Amino acid sequence: MTVTEERTTQRTSEIGRARRRKEDRRLITGRTRWTDNIVLPGMLHLAMVRSPFAHATITAIDTTAAKDAEGVVAVLTGRDVAEEQGALPTAWPITPDQKAQPHPAIAVDRVAFAGEIVAVVIARSAAAARDAAELVDVDYAELPAVVDLKDAAADKVLAHPDLGTNVSAVWTFDSAAAGTGGDVGAAIAGAEVLIEREFRQQRLIPAYMEPRATVVDPTGEQYTMWTSTQVPHILRVMLALTLGVPESKVRVIAPDVGGGFGGKLQVTPEEVITFLAARRTGKPCKWTETRSESLVSGHHGRDQWQKLTLAARRDGTVTGLKVELTADMGAYLGLVTPGVPILGAFMYNAIYKFPAYHFTCTNVFTNKTWTDAYRGAGRPEATFAIERLMDDLAAELGMDPLELREKNWITHEEFPFTTVAGLEYDSGNYEAATARAKELFGYDALRQEQAERRASGDPVQLGIGVSTFTEMCGLAPSRVLGALSYGAGGWEHAAVRMLPTGKVEVVTGTSPHGQGHVTAWSQIVADRLGVPFEDVEVLHGDTQISHKGLDTYGSRSLVVGGQAVVRAADKVIEKALPLAAHVLEAAEDDLEFTQGKFQVKGTDTAIGLTDLALRVFAAHDLPDGMEPSLDAEATFDPVNFSYPHGTHLCAMEVDTETGQVTMRKYVCVDDVGTIVNPLLVEGQVHGGLVQGIAQALWEEAVYDEQGTLVSGSFVDYTLPTAADTISFVTENTVTPSTTNDLGAKGVGEAGTIASTPAVVNAVLDAVRHLGVEDITMPLTPQRVWRAIRDGGGVPDGAALPDGAALPDGAAPPDASPHFASGEPNQDPLPGDADQQPRDDEGGAR
């Protein structure tokens, strides 16, 4: 969209308009304020001393040399702050008997993962702090560590011996017991077809662009914390509770935040430590993590084993689904760690009409970095599993994967629809999204090409992957969260202020970290109040300016926070109506509000809302009893989640001689309800797609048997760049949500949720006829090649393209980096001995 089009003088609706982001000029030109940019007079700097062991007793800490180092102000150990640091909070006890080990910000007697903090150095410069941290001498008595998830579930080694078990909690949902469906045991017993699978959801790291950083200023009447966080309001409450400080004395500011993906939805040890350091020294203190610290100690995501049984009839009708999940909590429970797998519990049935359903999740501790929310939080894991199962069922029955899905999905005439998991899907049209995706993809032509390649024995096979998904997002409503024992509500707050100059201020409780809230909220208010888009200012991320809020995660900002903005704007109009009637000498019922002004029906007599704002400011002639203010606030608590959906189709080419995979085409048609800004939606979808594709093909956090993170840098933790992706084809269908005035459904996690199974299904579809049923993610060339070989598709001694023979058991060299990274230096599944170091092409990108 051109600048001329944006500045057109004829007012049109802002909702649905592809506005460029207001935020971008400041961000792109570097005129922004990251936490690490903040410099305060007399500020001190922190460096953390971290354990190299995954499990050990701290026998002694000698800080003498560090304290004597130049520039050092203090060195604190866990014993120094044991009485005041408290334990980091967990807001989601999923069962009454949930077990948890208290998590001190600084370990006192024992460490439970490699990277846990054992001491902190406070110095006059960051360099001095880092240098002195090297001088802290810690003696450890190493203890056995449990790293493997299945070993942990079997209590072979205890991550926390005091607990007596690694099992933190077992959570179950059964449709027969809940009254939402039949008995899954009977469905399995009577099934004509059973698909039983076990899938591995590897551990991932939220590799946001801006590392975590925290600054705390203790001077003045309150503590002011600047921090790179998604949850300034929640953090403020939790700091007050953890450290015993009155909430009114804590101000949390999230300045510009360079990405989060759930990784900054946390109360971190470093935030607590920086607060303690500032309180102890009476001076401003700053901590900024290195990238290595980010990878080793920022919370991780996913890490599950999924055991699934799908029951069906021979005609393809599904009759039951059983899910048994083992989820890795890591060493401790973070803010919402226990509940992340439970968010997926309601989504394994997806868009399908399962008559019976049973879900069990066992949360276990290991001696690894703790896990918590990562983009999608439970929903990607569920979507991956069910979409893999549906493809396997289609293959078993010899049906087209889309035909099988259509046979079982909820039709658009059936909405609202109560699922076997007890949720009410309010609206959707899976048929429309799928039909459009097939058309854009050229589905039938690609199927024909696939058949021709198979018939000719082409060494490069073509696979087509399908993912038809829905998700529950807009984390709410409060009553449902309460029923799930979640420690907070799901409401959101907003305020709209009419300024005498004709400008409008919007205060929102949501806290953006790249989503474009300032632009979208400006469009909503401009549309609702009839004021120019440019005249709306959005304030956020500061608990002193925005005093109420529940922040940003779970695709809730627009459907909950945006709706609060709508309601606050509508209240402004309601408050202005009596004044407009007074000024125009008309009855309220004779006025209508349109295009930013109150007009007497059937006449040209009118007055603008901004003119009324100036009159209220002057307060010279107000109706009797009217307060001199048009400002309004609103708190919105939804009655339901929102349910975006879509159809994603992926074509992958697989070189059966080398295992190299190359993306040929990717098409997605998402239905996210009413679209406020198409540019923002497209950006969210593109980013989400790459993140989900990265799980399928590249990313994995890998630990050795001692619990050391061996993928602790971007040399070994392989992130894609734009050079590794293709141009996606994206489009939208629109079935508005019925649970908010905007009709919006949320988009922040859709691409991540849908894309992983689409890619994996495509690769498997290319080689299924070679005897391959599954490949553990990420689908590196070596794993793909080995799966083909083990499946019988590549005989021992098969020739590589250069004619070199492969000895029995040998692995091929890594392929080119385009959608085909090499393996990490350590096997993602400890125990395999087939890993090869990557060459230069397989390094970080």
Side-chain angles (χ1 to χ4, degrees):
M1 179 168 289
T2 66
V3 174
T4 302
E5 289 172 319
E6 287 187 358
R7 296 182 179 277
T8 177
T9 55
Q10 184 176 356
R11 239 195 80 72
T12 59
S13 175
E14 284 290 344
I15 301 298
R17 196 171 181 184
R19 286 270 192 191
R20 292 180 181 175
R21 299 197 319 177
K22 284 185 173 182
E23 305 92 320
D24 283 349
R25 181 180 295 275
R26 186 182 76 257
L27 295 171
I28 292 171
T29 59
R31 297 180 180 275
T32 186
R33 200 179 197 198
W34 311 115
T35 301
D36 190 51
N37 296 147
I38 295 169
V39 178
L40 301 176
M43 188 168 68
L44 303 176
H45 297 263
L46 275 56
M48 307 299 167
V49 181
R50 299 181 184 273
S51 168
F53 298 108
H55 197 195
T57 299
I58 302 171
T59 58
I61 302 180
D62 185 353
T63 61
T64 305
K67 287 179 178 178
D68 291 341
E70 185 177 354
V72 171
V73 174
V75 180
L76 301 178
T77 67
R79 289 196 179 280
D80 294 331
V81 297
E83 300 302 318
E84 59 181 303
Q85 68 174 331
L88 296 173
T90 298
W92 201 340
I94 62 172
T95 64
D97 60 349
Q98 175 175 285
K99 292 180 174 61
Q101 184 76 12
H103 185 184
I106 307 178
V108 178
D109 299 310
R110 186 176 63 91
V111 293
F113 71 96
E116 186 165 2
I117 299 167
V118 297
V120 56
V121 175
I122 308 168
R124 291 186 174 85
S125 72
R130 288 193 297 268
D131 290 344
E134 299 288 338
L135 301 177
V136 177
D137 187 11
V138 186
D139 288 336
Y140 300 92
E142 193 172 0
L143 299 170
V146 58
V147 178
D148 182 83
L149 186 50
K150 290 186 176 180
D151 287 347
D155 282 341
K156 290 186 176 181
V157 175
L158 297 183
H160 298 290
D162 292 347
L163 295 180
T165 180
N166 289 322
V167 176
S168 175
V170 179
W171 191 92
T172 299
F173 177 88
D174 185 84
S175 61
T180 57
D183 178 62
V184 78
I188 291 172
E192 297 174 358
V193 180
L194 277 182
I195 303 295
E196 298 177 276
R197 295 289 184 268
E198 191 167 1
F199 300 134
R200 180 76 167 104
Q201 283 281 328
Q202 77 268 41
R203 179 176 280 243
L204 302 175
I205 300 177
Y208 25 75
M209 184 175 291
E210 179 209 14
R212 295 174 300 156
T214 300
V215 175
V216 177
D217 184 0
T219 60
E221 296 298 316
Q222 63 182 180
Y223 293 90
T224 301
M225 172 183 282
W226 293 264
T227 187
S228 183
T229 184
Q230 298 175 222
V231 288
H233 295 89
I234 292 174
L235 178 58
R236 180 194 192 202
V237 172
M238 293 302 181
L239 284 173
L241 293 173
T242 300
L243 299 176
V245 181
E247 189 179 349
S248 62
K249 298 298 183 183
V250 180
R251 177 185 183 184
V252 176
I253 302 171
D256 290 313
V257 176
F261 313 120
K264 294 175 182 175
L265 199 179
Q266 197 58 261
V267 179
T268 70
E270 294 85 358
E271 286 165 334
V272 171
I273 292 169
T274 308
F275 192 104
L276 290 173
R279 185 161 71 181
R280 284 249 175 163
T281 62
K283 294 180 179 296
C285 289
K286 176 195 280 190
W287 170 79
T288 300
E289 72 181 350
T290 65
R291 184 60 68 179
S292 294
E293 284 183 297
S294 177
L295 293 173
V296 77
S297 64
H299 78 243
H300 296 170
R302 312 284 193 261
D303 207 347
Q304 300 176 1
W305 275 106
Q306 303 168 306
K307 184 178 179 182
L308 305 109
T309 305
L310 187 152
R313 293 200 291 264
R314 182 58 61 182
D315 68 356
T317 303
V318 297
T319 57
L321 178 65
K322 183 179 181 181
V323 178
E324 299 169 88
L325 208 65
T326 305
D328 192 349
M329 304 290 95
Y332 298 104
L333 300 181
L335 195 61
V336 294
T337 301
V340 168
I342 307 309
L343 285 173
F346 303 97
M347 287 286 102
Y348 279 87
N349 52 286
I351 66 173
Y352 309 114
K353 294 181 284 189
F354 279 97
Y357 174 56
H358 179 91
F359 173 93
T360 299
C361 178
T362 302
N363 288 347
V364 302
F365 291 113
T366 61
N367 294 118
K368 295 185 286 188
T369 303
W370 75 96
T371 59
D372 210 304
Y374 175 63
R375 198 171 190 170
R379 282 78 50 81
E381 298 93 311
T383 300
F384 177 86
I386 187 59
E387 290 305 287
R388 286 282 295 104
L389 283 181
M390 294 301 282
D391 257 33
D392 285 355
L393 177 60
E396 174 71 20
L397 298 175
M399 293 179 67
D400 180 271
L402 282 175
E403 180 186 345
L404 176 73
R405 287 166 167 81
E406 184 176 3
K407 186 177 186 64
N408 289 286
W409 69 34
I410 305 158
T411 63
H412 69 276
E413 298 93 347
E414 295 177 283
F415 289 98
F417 184 91
T418 300
T419 74
V420 72
L423 297 181
E424 183 181 277
Y425 296 175
D426 64 321
S427 67
N429 192 329
Y430 310 138
E431 303 98 306
T434 302
R436 183 57 179 152
K438 283 184 67 176
E439 179 184 355
L440 293 170
F441 191 66
Y443 187 83
D444 294 336
L446 284 170
R447 282 292 184 200
Q448 179 63 35
E449 181 184 342
Q450 179 187 52
E452 292 170 356
R453 289 199 190 193
R454 288 188 181 179
S456 67
D458 193 325
V460 179
Q461 289 290 301
L462 177 66
I464 296 171
V466 176
S467 177
T468 49
F469 85 103
T470 190
E471 60 153 322
M472 53 183 280
C473 67
L475 193 59
S478 297
R479 289 184 180 181
V480 173
L481 295 177
L484 293 173
S485 301
Y486 183 65
W491 52 265
E492 194 48 77
H493 184 77
V496 174
R497 303 169 180 166
M498 298 299 300
L499 305 182
T501 56
K503 311 299 183 181
V504 181
E505 284 183 344
V506 178
V507 182
T508 176
T510 63
S511 181
H513 41 279
Q515 295 88 342
H517 292 183
V518 170
T519 301
W521 278 212
S522 295
Q523 289 182 265
I524 290 170
V525 170
D527 203 69
R528 214 73 181 181
L529 299 184
V531 298
F533 169 80
E534 294 79 9
D535 288 351
V536 182
E537 186 76 19
V538 179
L539 308 177
H540 59 79
D542 183 336
T543 60
Q544 191 155 290
I545 294 173
S546 171
H547 65 285
K548 291 178 64 177
L550 285 174
D551 307 316
T552 297
Y553 40 85
S555 301
R556 70 186 301 272
S557 291
L558 181 61
V559 297
V560 187
Q563 178 63 19
V565 170
V566 168
R567 294 199 170 187
D570 288 348
K571 285 184 178 181
V572 168
I573 298 171
E574 292 173 12
K575 291 182 74 172
L577 177 60
L579 177 58
H582 175 75
V583 172
L584 297 176
E585 298 180 342
E588 292 182 18
D589 291 344
D590 290 337
L591 299 184
E592 59 183 358
F593 183 76
T594 180
Q595 296 291 304
K597 60 186 179 182
F598 289 93
Q599 187 166 351
V600 180
K601 297 174 184 176
T603 75
D604 294 331
T605 304
I607 187 169
L609 181 62
T610 54
D611 294 327
L612 291 173
L614 181 58
R615 286 175 176 262
V616 165
F617 174 74
H620 294 161
D621 182 22
L622 301 181
D624 292 341
M626 181 180 181
E627 63 178 8
S629 172
L630 296 182
D631 301 347
E633 298 185 6
T635 302
F636 175 63
D637 196 349
V639 298
N640 197 359
F641 300 94
S642 70
Y643 300 96
H645 68 83
T647 297
H648 290 225
L649 301 175
C650 176
M652 298 290 293
E653 293 181 337
V654 180
D655 188 327
T656 60
E657 295 178 336
T658 66
Q660 178 178 345
V661 297
T662 304
M663 185 169 285
R664 165 85 168 270
K665 191 171 187 177
Y666 197 104
V667 168
C668 63
V669 176
D670 289 298
D671 191 324
V672 296
T674 302
I675 294 173
V676 173
N677 186 320
L679 285 179
L680 298 182
V681 167
E682 189 170 12
Q684 286 287 327
V685 170
H686 277 230
L689 290 178
V690 174
Q691 217 149 2
I693 292 167
Q695 177 174 7
L697 298 181
W698 297 301
E699 292 187 38
E700 182 168 41
V702 182
Y703 285 83
D704 65 16
E705 293 179 355
Q706 288 73 44
T708 301
L709 182 69
V710 297
S711 54
S713 76
F714 286 153
V715 172
D716 294 299
Y717 189 84
T718 311
L719 287 179
T721 69
D724 299 303
T725 62
I726 65 171
S727 293
F728 308 120
V729 179
T730 65
E731 203 169 285
N732 298 98
T733 55
V734 177
T735 53
S737 171
T738 63
T739 61
N740 61 78
D741 294 337
L742 288 169
K745 293 184 177 181
V747 69
E749 295 159 304
T752 302
I753 290 170
S755 58
T756 307
V759 172
V760 174
N761 278 341
V763 173
L764 290 171
D765 186 55
V767 297
R768 193 184 295 273
H769 66 293
L770 301 177
V772 180
E773 288 191 348
D774 190 32
I775 307 172
T776 302
M777 296 187 291
L779 275 56
T780 60
Q782 186 183 88
R783 286 185 174 180
V784 173
W785 178 85
R786 188 170 294 282
I788 295 170
R789 181 179 177 278
D790 292 346
V794 177
D796 292 347
L800 288 172
D802 61 6
L806 282 166
D808 185 26
D814 291 334
S816 67
H818 182 67
F819 273 93
S821 73
E823 291 279 51
N825 291 336
Q826 171 70 31
D827 185 48
L829 298 176
D832 286 356
D834 61 2
Q835 288 304 123
Q836 301 292 325
R838 291 187 293 174
D839 58 22
D840 291 342
E841 286 189 331
R845 292 186 296 281

